[in-house]
């Protein structure tokens, strides 16, 4: 298939309208058949539940062109399962996994001309989401929902690509104790918007959110999980009930243990431990893993030994191995790669 005339190497992480998107409606207790549509716009009543009470959840995954020319997605079954968890947490109907996967296949196939070529550094970002669409004025869940999925070609999430970031320890909480931090609800991200804008204005790339109850333990940023490497080479990730379970983080942890034979720990990480870490990174679908070079805690600078010029050695191995699996250069564990087109 001929590709669109796009400057793939200079794409940012932004929205570009593609040809087709998927829509399915839940009404009277059941999902309709669903299918592809041309129209990128949504028509809803001014009193739609999503507009009044933010009853919405979303996912994010990517399609790639592998080295041998296949178009694939990476572990979409886990995105389907995480969306189901989010729906349960927000009183929304659960979308069957097979329906989710079929929507991914349809959307990527219909927009194959927008899947960036191998080696371009770009990918096709896929955004599934669900929301309450019927009119609700009293505080209650919607009765009718739409599940939609669109895609857009994107470049690196952070400007300048893979380079060490400067993070600040935040005074603002991302999620409430025992709240919705562990699901991918739109409202969690709304909570972080003012804070990330403030961080950027002050010269920081991201915020480090601490646990909302004691404010002593590392949790995550506004859009990614943390991953640390200790000075003895152990890969450590924060454990908390209010952290979103990142699919990329889970994959990196597996890679660390089973491909690189590294010791791995998922445990509570206290802010006081940061000065003793050798490397740190932010991991998520959009960025894969972005190295952290400096953490600023109210004027105190914690400079990671890995520095501000490049990824640390362990972080680099993790990045190279996982992207090698995604792009078909390294054999993947069974079930990780879903082939859309050969």
């Amino acid at each position: 298939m001929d590709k669109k005339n796009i400057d793939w190497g200079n794409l940012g992480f932004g929205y570009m309208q593609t040809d087709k998107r998927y829509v399915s409606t839940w009404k009277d207790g059941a999902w309709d058949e669903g299918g592809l549509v041309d129209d990128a716009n949504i028509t809803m009543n001014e009193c739609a539940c999503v507009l009044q009470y933010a009853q919405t959840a979303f996912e994010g995954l990517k399609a790639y062109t592998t080295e041998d020319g296949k178009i694939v997605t990476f572990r979409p079954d886990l995105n389907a399962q995480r969306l189901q968890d989010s729906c349960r947490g927000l009183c929304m109907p659960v979308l069957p996994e097979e329906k989710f996967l079929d929507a991914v296949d349809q959307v990527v196939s219909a927009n194959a001309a927008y899947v960036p070529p191998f080696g371009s550094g770009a990918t096709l970002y896929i955004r599934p989401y669900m929301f309450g669409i019927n009119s609700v004025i009293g505080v209650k869940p919607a009765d009718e929902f739409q599940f939609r999925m669109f895609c857009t070609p994107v470049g690196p999430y952070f400007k300048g690509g893979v380079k060490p970031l400067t993070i600040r320890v935040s005074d603002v909480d991302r999620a409430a104790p025992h709240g919705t931090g562990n699901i991918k609800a739109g409202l969690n991200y709304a909570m972080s918007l003012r804070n990330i804008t403030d961080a950027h204005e002050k010269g920081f790339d991201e915020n480090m959110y601490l646990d909302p109850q004691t404010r002593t333990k590392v949790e995550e940023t506004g859009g990614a999980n943390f991953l640390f490497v200790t000075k003895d080479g152990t890969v450590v990730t924060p454990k908390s009930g209010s952290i979103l379970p990142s699919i990329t983080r889970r994959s990196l942890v597996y890679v660390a243990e089973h491909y690189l034979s590294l010791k791995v720990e998922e445990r509570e990480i206290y802010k006081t431990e940061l000065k003793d870490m050798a490397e740190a990174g932010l991991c998520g679908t959009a960025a894969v893993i972005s190295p952290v070079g400096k953490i600023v805690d109210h004027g105190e600078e914690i400079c990671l030994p890995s520095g501000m010029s490049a990824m640390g050695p362990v972080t680099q191995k993790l990045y190279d191995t996982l992207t090698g699996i995604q792009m078909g250069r390294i054999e993947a564990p069974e079930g990780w790669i879903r082939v859309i087109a050969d």
Side-chain angles (χ1 to χ4, degrees):
M1 170 179 284
D2 292 335
K3 297 293 184 181
K4 296 290 183 178
N5 185 21
I6 295 171
D7 186 0
W8 305 107
N10 288 312
L11 281 174
F13 197 87
Y15 172 74
M16 177 188 297
Q17 185 172 315
T18 53
D19 294 339
K20 300 285 186 179
R21 65 273 315 135
Y22 180 94
V23 182
S24 184
T25 299
W26 189 88
K27 189 174 182 180
D28 299 327
W31 288 102
D32 67 10
E33 184 177 353
L36 296 174
V37 300
D38 296 327
D39 192 355
N41 298 303
I42 301 171
T43 300
M44 67 178 77
N45 187 270
E46 62 189 355
C47 197
C49 186
V50 65
L51 302 178
Q52 307 307 316
Y53 303 119
Q55 193 180 17
T56 179
F58 70 97
E59 274 298 321
L61 64 156
K62 289 179 175 180
Y64 313 81
T65 302
T66 61
E67 196 166 19
D68 59 358
K70 296 177 181 177
I71 296 176
V72 305
T73 52
F74 181 71
R75 309 191 78 179
D77 55 316
L78 297 188
N79 292 98
Q81 292 162 23
R82 190 169 64 180
L83 181 64
Q84 291 178 337
D85 290 339
S86 296
C87 290
R88 294 184 186 103
L90 292 171
C91 291
M92 298 198 293
V94 170
L95 187 80
E97 182 176 328
E98 60 273 16
K99 191 175 183 70
F100 181 98
L101 295 175
D102 178 60
V104 171
D105 292 351
Q106 289 192 49
V107 168
V108 175
S109 296
N111 295 288
Y114 291 92
V115 181
F118 175 78
S120 65
T123 55
L124 187 75
Y125 186 79
I126 305 163
R127 171 54 56 87
Y129 59 111
M130 190 189 302
F131 58 95
I133 196 170
N134 66 290
S135 303
V136 174
I137 195 65
V139 181
K140 62 179 182 178
D143 299 312
E144 183 178 333
F145 296 84
Q146 271 197 11
F147 168 73
R148 300 178 71 100
M149 183 183 295
F150 66 86
C151 63
T152 181
V154 297
Y157 184 71
F158 290 103
K159 291 180 180 179
V162 178
K163 64 177 184 179
L165 308 173
T166 299
I167 309 295
R168 73 168 178 183
V169 176
S170 176
D171 288 324
V172 176
D173 292 330
R174 185 190 70 89
H178 315 294
T180 58
N182 64 325
I183 63 176
K184 206 166 176 65
L187 58 92
N188 295 342
Y189 296 80
M191 292 283 287
S192 71
L193 294 178
R194 182 172 67 87
N195 202 33
I196 189 60
T197 300
D198 181 68
H200 289 164
E201 288 174 352
K202 290 179 169 60
F204 301 100
D205 295 298
E206 254 291 4
N207 292 293
M208 172 181 284
Y209 291 104
L210 304 176
D211 72 292
Q213 195 144 8
T214 71
R215 311 210 78 253
T216 61
K217 292 171 279 191
V218 176
E219 293 221 323
E220 60 177 307
T221 71
N225 280 189
F226 277 106
L227 181 147
F228 296 94
V229 182
T230 65
K231 290 178 180 176
D232 69 357
T234 301
V235 174
V236 185
T237 60
K239 183 178 183 178
S240 167
S242 57
I243 292 177
L244 183 73
S246 164
I247 293 164
T248 305
R249 177 187 56 79
R250 282 181 275 175
S251 302
L252 286 166
V253 164
Y254 184 94
V255 163
E257 186 173 5
H258 296 279
Y259 281 70
L260 303 179
S261 300
L262 297 171
K263 182 181 178 183
V264 172
E265 294 177 352
E266 182 184 4
R267 61 171 175 81
E268 293 179 337
I269 299 175
Y270 286 84
K271 187 179 72 167
T272 54
E273 297 180 66
L274 294 176
K275 64 183 184 300
D276 299 319
M277 295 296 180
E279 301 175 39
L282 307 184
C283 48
T285 298
V288 183
I289 183 166
S290 293
V292 174
K294 184 191 298 183
I295 301 167
V296 180
D297 184 8
H298 300 87
E300 178 190 356
E301 291 190 353
I302 302 168
C303 297
L304 281 300
S306 50
M308 290 296 293
S309 59
M311 280 191 179
V314 175
T315 306
Q316 187 71 62
K317 288 179 183 177
L318 288 168
Y319 177 86
D320 290 344
T321 306
L322 186 61
T323 55
I325 290 170
Q326 291 172 333
M327 295 298 177
R329 295 190 298 268
I330 297 173
E331 186 175 355
E334 186 177 355
W336 279 29
I337 303 297
R338 183 178 179 90
V339 178
I340 306 294
D342 290 318

